[in-house]
PDB file of all heavy atoms in Angstrom:
ATOM      1  N   ASP B 384     -26.512 -41.624 -25.781  1.00 90.00           N
ATOM      2  CA  ASP B 384     -26.172 -43.000 -25.487  1.00 90.00           C
ATOM      3  C   ASP B 384     -26.149 -43.268 -23.981  1.00 90.00           C
ATOM      4  O   ASP B 384     -25.416 -42.588 -23.258  1.00 90.00           O
ATOM      5  CB  ASP B 384     -24.771 -43.346 -26.037  1.00 90.00           C
ATOM      6  CG  ASP B 384     -24.806 -43.454 -27.547  1.00 90.00           C
ATOM      7  OD1 ASP B 384     -25.689 -44.149 -28.038  1.00 90.00           O
ATOM      8  OD2 ASP B 384     -23.969 -42.817 -28.210  1.00 90.00           O
ATOM      9  N   ASP B 385     -26.958 -44.189 -23.553  1.00 90.00           N
ATOM     10  CA  ASP B 385     -26.927 -44.662 -22.156  1.00 90.00           C
ATOM     11  C   ASP B 385     -26.953 -43.537 -21.138  1.00 90.00           C
ATOM     12  O   ASP B 385     -26.264 -43.585 -20.131  1.00 90.00           O
ATOM     13  CB  ASP B 385     -25.653 -45.496 -21.919  1.00 90.00           C
ATOM     14  CG  ASP B 385     -25.530 -46.631 -22.921  1.00 90.00           C
ATOM     15  OD1 ASP B 385     -26.574 -47.185 -23.275  1.00 90.00           O
ATOM     16  OD2 ASP B 385     -24.401 -46.924 -23.361  1.00 90.00           O
ATOM     17  N   LEU B 386     -27.772 -42.520 -21.384  1.00 91.00           N
ATOM     18  CA  LEU B 386     -27.792 -41.350 -20.523  1.00 91.00           C
ATOM     19  C   LEU B 386     -28.660 -41.619 -19.286  1.00 91.00           C
ATOM     20  O   LEU B 386     -29.841 -41.984 -19.404  1.00 91.00           O
ATOM     21  CB  LEU B 386     -28.326 -40.121 -21.274  1.00 91.00           C
ATOM     22  CG  LEU B 386     -28.386 -38.825 -20.503  1.00 91.00           C
ATOM     23  CD1 LEU B 386     -26.968 -38.360 -20.136  1.00 91.00           C
ATOM     24  CD2 LEU B 386     -29.106 -37.747 -21.303  1.00 91.00           C
ATOM     25  N   THR B 387     -28.098 -41.452 -18.120  1.00 90.00           N
ATOM     26  CA  THR B 387     -28.832 -41.567 -16.868  1.00 90.00           C
ATOM     27  C   THR B 387     -28.563 -40.337 -16.027  1.00 90.00           C
ATOM     28  O   THR B 387     -27.419 -39.851 -15.921  1.00 90.00           O
ATOM     29  CB  THR B 387     -28.388 -42.803 -16.069  1.00 90.00           C
ATOM     30  OG1 THR B 387     -28.789 -43.973 -16.817  1.00 90.00           O
ATOM     31  CG2 THR B 387     -29.025 -42.873 -14.693  1.00 90.00           C
ATOM     32  N   VAL B 388     -29.630 -39.780 -15.427  1.00 91.00           N
ATOM     33  CA  VAL B 388     -29.500 -38.628 -14.511  1.00 91.00           C
ATOM     34  C   VAL B 388     -30.299 -38.998 -13.271  1.00 91.00           C
ATOM     35  O   VAL B 388     -31.400 -39.498 -13.364  1.00 91.00           O
ATOM     36  CB  VAL B 388     -30.045 -37.339 -15.122  1.00 91.00           C
ATOM     37  CG1 VAL B 388     -30.008 -36.205 -14.100  1.00 91.00           C
ATOM     38  CG2 VAL B 388     -29.244 -36.945 -16.370  1.00 91.00           C
ATOM     39  N   ALA B 389     -29.675 -38.720 -12.126  1.00 87.00           N
ATOM     40  CA  ALA B 389     -30.388 -39.041 -10.870  1.00 87.00           C
ATOM     41  C   ALA B 389     -30.398 -37.827  -9.981  1.00 87.00           C
ATOM     42  O   ALA B 389     -29.465 -37.059  -9.928  1.00 87.00           O
ATOM     43  CB  ALA B 389     -29.660 -40.189 -10.142  1.00 87.00           C
ATOM     44  N   TYR B 390     -31.569 -37.576  -9.371  1.00 81.00           N
ATOM     45  CA  TYR B 390     -31.671 -36.567  -8.320  1.00 81.00           C
ATOM     46  C   TYR B 390     -31.771 -37.283  -6.976  1.00 81.00           C
ATOM     47  O   TYR B 390     -32.683 -38.059  -6.781  1.00 81.00           O
ATOM     48  CB  TYR B 390     -32.944 -35.712  -8.500  1.00 81.00           C
ATOM     49  CG  TYR B 390     -32.931 -34.847  -9.745  1.00 81.00           C
ATOM     50  CD1 TYR B 390     -34.010 -34.891 -10.632  1.00 81.00           C
ATOM     51  CD2 TYR B 390     -31.877 -33.997 -10.036  1.00 81.00           C
ATOM     52  CE1 TYR B 390     -34.033 -34.087 -11.749  1.00 81.00           C
ATOM     53  CE2 TYR B 390     -31.911 -33.213 -11.183  1.00 81.00           C
ATOM     54  CZ  TYR B 390     -32.978 -33.252 -12.019  1.00 81.00           C
ATOM     55  OH  TYR B 390     -33.000 -32.476 -13.127  1.00 81.00           O
ATOM     56  N   GLN B 391     -30.845 -37.029  -6.091  1.00 73.00           N
ATOM     57  CA  GLN B 391     -30.882 -37.675  -4.782  1.00 73.00           C
ATOM     58  C   GLN B 391     -31.051 -39.191  -4.895  1.00 73.00           C
ATOM     59  O   GLN B 391     -31.913 -39.788  -4.275  1.00 73.00           O
ATOM     60  CB  GLN B 391     -32.054 -37.134  -3.938  1.00 73.00           C
ATOM     61  CG  GLN B 391     -32.180 -35.663  -3.907  1.00 73.00           C
ATOM     62  CD  GLN B 391     -31.217 -34.996  -2.939  1.00 73.00           C
ATOM     63  OE1 GLN B 391     -30.678 -35.650  -2.066  1.00 73.00           O
ATOM     64  NE2 GLN B 391     -31.007 -33.710  -3.101  1.00 73.00           N
TER      65      GLN B 391
END
Side-chain angles (χ1 to χ4, degrees):
Chain B
D384 287 312
D385 306 323
L386 182 65
T387 293
V388 175
Y390 294 129
Q391 313 279 344

